[in-house]
Amino acid sequence: MLCGSRNAKIDYPALDWLKRETAFTRVVSFGTLPPNYGAYYGIKSINYTYLPVPRVFAETLDANIDPNIDPSGFYTPGLGQKYSDASSIHDMNLYLSASSPNTLSSLHWLSQHGVGLVAVSPEKNIWQDILLTHPVAGNAQAYDFTAGPLSGHIPAPRNKGAAVSKVGIAVGTFSGRATGKINIRLCSNDMCQSGTTSVDQTPDNTVIFIPLDQKLAITGPEDLSWSISTEDNDIKPAVWVWKNKENGELSPMMPLQTEFDPPDYVKLSYQDPYITIWKLANAAPYFSADNCHLTIHSTEKLEADCENKDTLVRQEIAYPGWHVTVNGVHTKTGATKDGLFQTANLVSGHNTITFTYSPPKGMLMLFLFIIGLLGTGIGFYRSRPISLH
């Protein structure tokens, strides 16, 4: 502990800003606020690394943010298809799956589940993603370029301000024996960009990403056109393709590495040399009830004036030990349909609401703790030195 530690500069202005701004919302951090330190500094952060963790929370993050998350921690480096780091992911199975969350879907889910702030390192760009262009159903076949270059069309990214920086292709290299280069040309309307990469010593049946010479800005909703060719090949590589039944085109699996502008509901709110913080303007409130006017005093106390009976949602994890008192009536909290957040039943008219927490079987733990103290005291008493006179 002593020899492995070193002094570090702490960004107290940013911590103070986050503490104020997270009074009734949460922050998700990518590469700047370490897991668990939110609790240390009084900041509501969803990044964590500990066990045990509520199963419903871990499984919900798994389904909506990262299907490969380790439930013992949530400290991913980014959002989107495997954190949007296309150049390091070569497994074809990732790009054949249509169910992986993307950057914008993950961000929207977070905003609707109590996350109103996104903190990143200044040098990190989270506004990027991999657009999956899925091949049509059916058996894949290898196109070996003996008939010349291959060309076709794919859907354009729909993200505002999108630009393509890399193009992925699933290649067969005949156990790594293929040589030479693969060339890609990608066009949006009349604008085109090209890229080239060597296939020498490339593993067989993997996805390689070819950087474009310059980023290709997407100027409209029209399909992108592409062409693939090879050169300087003693043994030509193959590209895995699927036949499109509608137009007869051979369609490769062609994931696109894209960068884009932040969505309209995302606003830059804080920045210094160490951290950049974005605010999600559409973030769901900590407390909500459709037909009630809420007067919030703290995260545990509020008042609600309701036209009719209603259900209050508190964006705090539904967990054994939480109770709610409504107009003096004490009961356990309910849960939303997905089992994630707490609910409370409100009556028509005025409601005074207080949330409290006590650990399940807390009295038993206290009793055992007292027994332990007594046992320790008796042990000390019996082991004290005996004076001989």
Side-chain angles (χ1 to χ4, degrees):
M1 290 294 291
L2 294 176
C3 67
S5 62
R6 59 187 177 88
N7 292 329
K9 185 176 179 60
I10 299 175
D11 190 357
Y12 285 110
L15 293 173
D16 293 339
W17 188 93
L18 279 169
K19 188 172 183 178
R20 291 192 304 269
E21 293 294 320
T22 56
F24 293 100
T25 190
R26 291 181 174 85
V27 61
V28 60
S29 171
F30 301 111
T32 178
L33 181 64
N36 304 347
Y37 274 84
Y40 183 79
Y41 287 108
I43 296 168
K44 295 182 178 67
S45 168
I46 70 168
N47 300 91
Y48 71 88
T49 171
Y50 50 66
L51 283 174
V53 62
R55 180 185 297 274
V56 66
F57 179 54
E59 290 180 347
T60 305
L61 287 177
D62 180 279
N64 294 280
I65 306 298
D66 176 15
N68 302 291
I69 194 171
D70 181 344
S72 67
F74 178 66
Y75 45 96
T76 60
L79 293 166
Q81 305 287 346
K82 275 306 252 185
Y83 322 131
S84 304
D85 185 10
S87 60
S88 64
I89 311 296
H90 305 289
D91 185 1
M92 289 176 57
N93 292 325
L94 173 67
Y95 307 105
L96 287 171
S97 171
S99 60
S100 297
N102 58 48
T103 295
L104 293 183
S105 71
S106 298
L107 194 68
H108 179 74
W109 184 89
L110 287 168
S111 71
Q112 296 307 297
H113 289 77
V115 176
L117 299 168
V118 179
V120 299
S121 301
E123 69 278 2
K124 185 172 183 59
N125 175 28
I126 64 169
W127 309 117
Q128 57 179 337
D129 209 344
I130 301 174
L131 172 71
L132 298 185
T133 54
H134 298 288
V136 296
N139 294 327
Q141 53 184 294
Y143 184 82
D144 60 8
F145 295 99
T146 55
L150 183 66
S151 62
H153 300 82
I154 55 175
R158 297 293 186 261
N159 296 338
K160 177 183 175 183
V164 180
S165 58
K166 299 177 184 178
V167 180
I169 305 172
V171 297
T173 60
F174 307 101
S175 300
R177 294 186 294 114
T179 59
K181 298 177 181 179
I182 288 185
N183 306 316
I184 180 77
R185 181 175 174 84
L186 188 68
C187 299
S188 174
N189 293 325
D190 296 331
M191 299 295 295
C192 298
Q193 294 294 339
S194 301
T196 300
T197 191
S198 171
V199 297
D200 294 355
Q201 299 181 342
T202 298
D204 203 4
N205 301 327
T206 57
V207 174
I208 60 172
F209 280 86
I210 304 175
L212 298 178
D213 295 335
Q214 294 184 19
K215 296 176 184 176
L216 177 66
I218 307 304
T219 57
E222 295 82 12
D223 285 355
L224 305 180
S225 60
W226 55 267
S227 63
I228 307 172
S229 61
T230 61
E231 63 174 296
D232 301 332
N233 309 106
D234 294 328
I235 300 178
K236 291 181 180 292
V239 173
W240 287 106
V241 295
W242 288 254
K243 190 166 186 178
N244 191 319
K245 295 180 181 179
E246 294 181 2
N247 56 22
E249 285 187 357
L250 294 176
S251 303
M253 176 177 61
M254 191 178 287
L256 304 179
Q257 172 77 55
T258 62
E259 300 177 9
F260 52 90
D261 297 336
D264 292 336
Y265 62 86
V266 178
K267 306 298 180 185
L268 182 62
S269 294
Y270 182 94
Q271 193 169 30
D272 65 23
Y274 312 104
I275 191 171
T276 298
I277 304 174
W278 303 84
K279 181 174 287 188
L280 309 183
N282 66 340
Y286 187 82
F287 288 111
S288 61
D290 293 338
N291 302 306
C292 302
H293 173 73
L294 305 181
T295 303
I296 300 172
H297 303 296
S298 69
T299 54
E300 288 81 34
K301 295 182 180 181
L302 71 157
E303 298 176 56
D305 293 291
C306 304
E307 298 177 3
N308 302 295
K309 292 181 179 180
D310 207 342
T311 300
L312 174 73
V313 175
R314 180 184 187 228
Q315 295 221 357
E316 198 73 57
I317 291 179
Y319 196 75
W322 277 106
H323 293 77
V324 61
T325 301
V326 180
N327 292 339
V329 179
H330 188 74
T331 184
K332 293 180 180 179
T333 57
T336 51
K337 289 183 179 180
D338 59 7
L340 191 61
F341 291 134
Q342 300 170 16
T343 62
N345 295 323
L346 305 181
V347 299
S348 176
H350 187 74
N351 297 262
T352 300
I353 307 143
T354 303
F355 289 86
T356 56
Y357 177 80
S358 57
K361 301 180 180 179
M363 294 304 296
L364 174 61
M365 288 189 287
L366 179 60
F367 174 75
L368 294 175
F369 175 67
I370 293 173
I371 293 295
L373 286 179
L374 291 174
T376 301
I378 292 172
F380 275 119
Y381 178 80
R382 296 182 62 180
S383 63
R384 62 178 182 161
I386 300 176
S387 298
L388 299 176
H389 299 285

